[in-house]
Amino acid sequence: MSEIFTMGEPMVVFIAEKPGTFSEVENYSRGLAGAELNFSIGVTRLGHTASYFTKLGKDPYGAYIHEFIEKEKIDGEKVLFTEEYLTGSYLKTKVLEGDPAVYYFRKNSAASHICPEDIEAQDLSGVKMVHITGITSALSEDCRKSCMTLAKRAHEIGAMVSFDPNIREKLWKSREEMVQTLNDMAFHSDVVLPGIKEGRILAGTDVPEKIADFYLEHGSKTVIVKLGENGAYYKTKDGAQGTVPGYKPEKIVDTVGAGDAFAAGVVTGLLENLPLDEAVARGNAMGAIIISSKGDNDNLPDRETLFVFQGKQKR
Ligand code: KDG
């Protein structure tokens, strides 16, 4: 069995070749997306084993995603196919600055039908870390329960849970429901990975230490707040804390997927027993690398590429 387990919704993404509206842009390149899938690619390229669970439609998108999972050596043995629902997709615009706009085609998708029974049926033996993102909780009531079931099962077998709130307001009915659900998941997780802007929405503050304290007071053990180009701030329940500076990206092309790359860096660092600040530095490096390409995961590095990148910016 793999040391890491995750689940969520993978999608096919179509990325605009140039800025403009859909009617203005004729050409799109095809890619693969999904926060937990990006994360799985990140950790397996760094030499770790990961199992990924999802539901795919029996359609060309589903077949493409499944092939990709196999090619990346992610254990997707338990992935289920359904005739009833389609695999989701999304459109991503090209911007010259800031975050691109995204348009989802995923309502009632195959993955939104993941249910707690699916999670109960998973063999988690040998798993040391379960990674969950807030996107999955937003997909349906069943998906939300599935995330909680997964966190509970992880703790029963002594595995740790890492949680990235990954706010996607478009997927939620209301901000109130979103905040409550994401915080509840975070309180049931060991390692919480909010961004600074997410902290303002979820914890009511954009002071990194206060965001960390908010989660630590409610049961989380380690909180790592992503600060964008300024790196990341961490605090543990034992009071250890610090800010780890960010790496300079070669260029900034597309910021989508940076949080997943960051999570892959941190989680692999923790599994390798790196000191926390080094695990966070690895997360920062992974985030800086991925934003220099247009895809959500294509540029995720192998170990050697990562170490060369980190070595070039010795601090
Ligand atoms: O974190 C990156 C993801 O946002 C992207 O790959 C697509 O999963 C996705 C989503 O729901 O936005």
Side-chain angles (χ1 to χ4, degrees):
M1 190 56 186
S2 308
E3 55 185 337
I4 301 168
F5 182 92
T6 186
M7 61 121 176
E9 174 165 38
M11 289 179 289
V12 170
V13 54
F14 296 99
I15 307 165
E17 180 183 69
K18 57 177 194 182
T21 63
F22 187 65
S23 54
E24 286 160 352
V25 182
E26 228 174 286
N27 296 315
Y28 285 75
S29 61
R30 178 203 59 183
L32 213 126
E36 302 81 359
L37 184 58
N38 301 336
F39 168 84
S40 302
I41 297 167
V43 297
T44 49
R45 288 196 188 161
L46 292 181
H48 289 260
T49 51
S51 292
Y52 174 75
F53 174 70
T54 192
K55 282 184 172 167
L56 295 170
K58 270 202 175 164
D59 49 48
Y61 292 176
Y64 167 62
I65 290 167
H66 195 243
E67 251 172 54
F68 192 93
I69 291 172
E70 285 189 343
K71 194 184 101 220
E72 290 290 330
K73 301 196 173 56
I74 297 162
D75 172 15
E77 207 189 309
K78 297 282 165 51
V79 168
L80 295 175
F81 282 90
T82 165
E83 303 262 11
E84 267 175 286
Y85 308 104
L86 294 170
T87 310
S89 67
Y90 87 101
L91 282 182
K92 185 160 72 169
T93 61
K94 182 172 171 63
V95 287
L96 300 175
E97 223 175 275
D99 298 334
V102 299
Y103 301 95
Y104 293 127
F105 301 85
R106 67 195 302 185
K107 215 176 180 151
N108 205 26
S109 66
S112 71
H113 291 272
I114 293 173
C115 60
E117 293 73 30
D118 295 325
I119 304 305
E120 294 290 0
Q122 301 296 321
D123 175 11
L124 297 186
S125 44
V127 168
K128 297 195 185 91
M129 182 72 91
V130 160
H131 182 67
I132 302 173
T133 89
I135 292 177
T136 310
S137 291
L139 301 178
S140 66
E141 183 62 32
D142 264 345
C143 280
R144 183 181 318 178
K145 287 187 190 146
S146 301
C147 291
M148 267 301 174
T149 305
L150 182 56
K152 197 172 129 262
R153 284 208 59 207
H155 286 139
E156 278 164 10
I157 60 157
M160 290 212 297
V161 176
S162 54
F163 178 68
D164 178 351
N166 232 335
I167 288 187
R168 298 288 180 271
E169 291 230 46
K170 276 186 183 180
L171 297 176
W172 292 92
K173 285 200 197 85
S174 72
R175 183 172 270 208
E176 199 191 352
E177 181 190 42
M178 176 182 86
V179 169
Q180 209 187 332
T181 309
L182 296 182
N183 281 341
D184 200 24
M185 270 308 303
F187 300 160
H188 286 84
S189 304
D190 303 283
V191 182
V192 183
L193 307 164
I196 185 90
K197 287 191 201 143
E198 291 177 324
R200 163 143 292 293
I201 298 169
L202 297 173
T205 169
D206 47 23
V207 178
E209 186 171 3
K210 287 195 178 149
I211 298 171
D213 287 341
F214 174 73
Y215 289 113
L216 294 171
E217 277 158 20
H218 286 89
S220 316
K221 299 191 178 72
T222 299
V223 182
I224 306 172
V225 184
K226 292 166 274 185
L227 308 174
E229 63 187 23
N230 296 322
Y233 166 85
Y234 66 86
K235 188 166 182 182
T236 70
K237 74 171 186 347
D238 307 325
Q241 60 175 313
T243 300
V244 181
Y247 287 82
K248 217 175 140 28
E250 274 160 21
K251 52 187 186 247
I252 303 178
V253 177
D254 182 319
T255 49
V256 181
D260 308 325
F262 179 86
V266 169
V267 165
T268 56
L270 294 177
L271 288 171
E272 290 166 35
N273 294 319
L274 294 186
L276 186 52
D277 58 343
E278 283 180 36
V280 174
R282 183 185 284 187
N284 287 344
M286 293 283 287
I289 292 172
I290 192 67
I291 63 176
S292 64
S293 75
K294 66 182 177 185
D296 295 8
N297 48 51
D298 47 319
N299 211 27
L300 285 165
D302 59 18
R303 285 183 92 77
E304 202 191 326
T305 313
L306 171 69
F307 295 157
V308 168
F309 180 84
Q310 287 193 279
K312 273 193 202 154
Q313 293 187 40
K314 275 234 150 43
R315 290 149 311 149

